[in-house]
Amino acid sequence: MQSFMVVSHLSKKYGEKVVLNNLNFNIREGEFLSVLGPSGCGKTTLLKLLIGIEQQTSGIIKLNGEDISKLDSSKRHMGIVFQNYALFPNMTVLQNVEYALKFNEQYKKDSRKIAQQVLEQVGLKEHSSKRVDQLSGGQQQRVAIARTLALKPKVILFDEPLSALDAANRLTMRKEIKRIQKQYNSTIIYITHDQEEAFTMSDRIMVMSEGHIEQIDTPINIYNHPQNEFVRDFVVEHLRTKLNDLENCMVNKNENKI
Ligand SMILES: Nc1ncnc2c1ncn2[C@@H]1O[C@H](COP(=O)(O)OP(=O)(O)O)[C@@H](O)[C@H]1O
Ligand SMILES: [Mg+2]
C-alpha cells in the first residue's frame, strides 16, 4: 500500500536542547500507528509538529504527496484528541460538537446535522442535550472524539487520550476507538506510554526514547525481535513481567482453592 503520510528528517530544538532528532517514518491510509515511549521522550512535541501548533527546526512532512510542513494548522486536515478532552464544560454535548463546525466554511451550513450524525455514530445521541460536565470521563472523551471526527480529518492524532480514565473505562474506550476507526477507516497516530495499549490497538508501533525512534514495526515483530536493549527492556520485558504476574496470580488462586 502507498504511503499516505511521509515524515523525513524531522527535528526540533528548544534553544540548544534537541527534543526530536531526525525522525523518519511513514503511515499508510487507514493505518493505526502508536507512538510508544516514556514520559519526556518527545511524543507530544511530535504531534505538535505534525498538526502545526509548533514549527519544526528542520525536516519535511508530506500528506498525500503534498508538503504540508509549512502550512497553517487549519489547512493540514488533521484532528487532535487530548488527554484532558479540552471541551467546553458548560455547553451541551451537541453544542460542543457543533462549535468547530460553525467556524468551518465548508461545514457551517450543515453544522447541526453533521453534529447530530456523528453523535449518533459514536453512540451519544441520547446524551446530546446534556452538559458535558454531567457525563462520565469515558463519555466526555467520546464527545471529544466526535468533535474531531465531525471535521472529517485525514489523520487523527491522539495524545494519551485514556490516561485520565480508570482501568475499566480505559478498556472500554480502547475497543470503542478501534470500532470508530474501522467505521470511519481513519488514519490514526496514537500516542501512549502504555505498552499494553500500544500492543492491543496498533497495526504498527513506533518505539521512541530521548527524541529518536528505537524501532518501528508490527507488535508481534517488536515482541519477537526487539532491535536493541531499550526496546527489550521498555517493551518486551515489561510485557513478559505482566504476563508472569498474571500467571502467578492465577496459579496462587488455584492453589488456595485446593
Ligand atoms: N516549549 C518547550 N520549551 C522547552 N522545552 C520543551 C518545550 N516543550 C517540551 N519541552 C521539552 O521537550 C521534551 C519532550 O517533551 P514532550 O514532547 O512533552 O514529551 P512527552 O510527550 O513524550 O512526555 C521534554 O524534555 C520537555 O521538557
Ligand atoms: Mg506528552
Side-chain angles (χ1 to χ4, degrees):
M1 223 192 293
Q2 199 196 340
S3 283
F4 185 52
M5 188 173 189
V6 181
V7 173
S8 321
H9 304 296
L10 192 68
S11 293
K12 176 69 179 175
K13 278 189 190 173
Y14 284 114
E16 284 305 299
K17 185 178 160 68
V18 180
V19 174
L20 293 176
N21 187 8
N22 194 29
L23 303 193
N24 294 283
F25 63 96
N26 53 51
I27 304 157
R28 298 184 299 270
E29 192 161 18
E31 184 172 22
F32 192 115
L33 177 78
S34 282
V35 178
L36 172 66
S39 176
C41 75
K43 303 182 297 295
T44 297
T45 305
L46 171 60
L47 281 205
K48 286 182 178 167
L49 298 188
L50 295 178
I51 202 167
I53 304 171
E54 293 268 357
Q55 189 66 36
Q56 66 272 23
T57 308
S58 56
I60 287 176
I61 304 157
K62 282 188 175 175
L63 187 60
N64 244 344
E66 182 195 3
D67 182 352
I68 59 161
S69 29
K70 297 208 166 56
L71 284 186
D72 187 72
S73 182
S74 61
K75 300 206 165 65
R76 293 194 185 193
H77 303 289
M78 291 190 207
I80 194 159
V81 178
F82 297 101
Q83 175 192 335
N84 59 5
Y85 323 134
L87 299 168
F88 301 108
N90 53 353
M91 294 196 330
T92 66
V93 169
L94 183 65
Q95 283 166 341
N96 265 279
V97 178
E98 218 184 329
Y99 186 82
L101 292 161
K102 281 186 178 161
F103 290 97
N104 183 293
E105 276 308 309
Q106 195 183 344
Y107 300 128
K108 66 179 176 194
K109 202 163 56 65
D110 300 315
S111 60
R112 172 65 50 95
K113 207 174 96 206
I114 297 169
Q116 283 168 337
Q117 268 172 1
V118 178
L119 283 170
E120 179 158 13
Q121 282 159 353
V122 302
L124 284 173
K125 191 180 168 193
E126 66 272 30
H127 300 293
S128 298
S129 52
K130 285 190 187 157
R131 281 162 48 128
V132 294
D133 56 7
Q134 296 175 303
L135 302 180
S136 70
Q139 288 168 331
Q140 289 190 32
Q141 192 54 295
R142 271 198 285 167
V143 178
I145 294 169
R147 181 183 56 180
T148 302
L149 286 170
L151 290 163
K152 300 189 176 65
K154 290 181 179 158
V155 182
I156 306 178
L157 312 173
F158 284 88
D159 194 355
E160 311 222 15
L162 309 185
S163 39
L165 301 178
D166 59 40
N169 267 315
R170 269 207 298 275
L171 278 181
T172 312
M173 283 303 292
R174 275 187 204 168
K175 289 192 192 128
E176 184 61 11
I177 291 173
K178 287 301 288 180
R179 187 190 66 74
I180 292 169
Q181 187 217 359
K182 290 212 179 86
Q183 186 177 2
Y184 282 80
N185 192 31
S186 311
T187 307
I188 285 179
I189 301 178
Y190 186 96
I191 285 196
T192 181
H193 64 265
D194 184 313
Q195 292 87 342
E196 282 174 65
E197 214 166 277
F199 269 74
T200 51
M201 297 177 80
S202 319
D203 297 313
R204 284 189 306 155
I205 301 172
M206 181 166 121
V207 183
M208 277 183 71
S209 80
E210 296 180 356
H212 63 271
I213 300 174
E214 297 281 359
Q215 187 167 3
I216 177 164
D217 210 330
T218 58
I220 193 74
N221 281 350
I222 289 179
Y223 190 77
N224 288 332
H225 309 288
Q227 221 157 59
N228 55 43
E229 212 166 312
F230 178 84
V231 182
R232 214 170 6 251
D233 287 349
F234 183 71
V235 182
V236 180
E237 280 309 316
H238 176 91
L239 289 170
R240 288 214 177 109
T241 309
K242 278 235 147 156
L243 278 172
N244 275 337
D245 288 351
L246 262 177
E247 268 181 32
N248 288 337
C249 187
M250 286 188 284
V251 170
N252 286 341
K253 269 200 180 136
N254 231 2
E255 283 170 354
N256 287 344
K257 263 187 201 160
I258 301 162

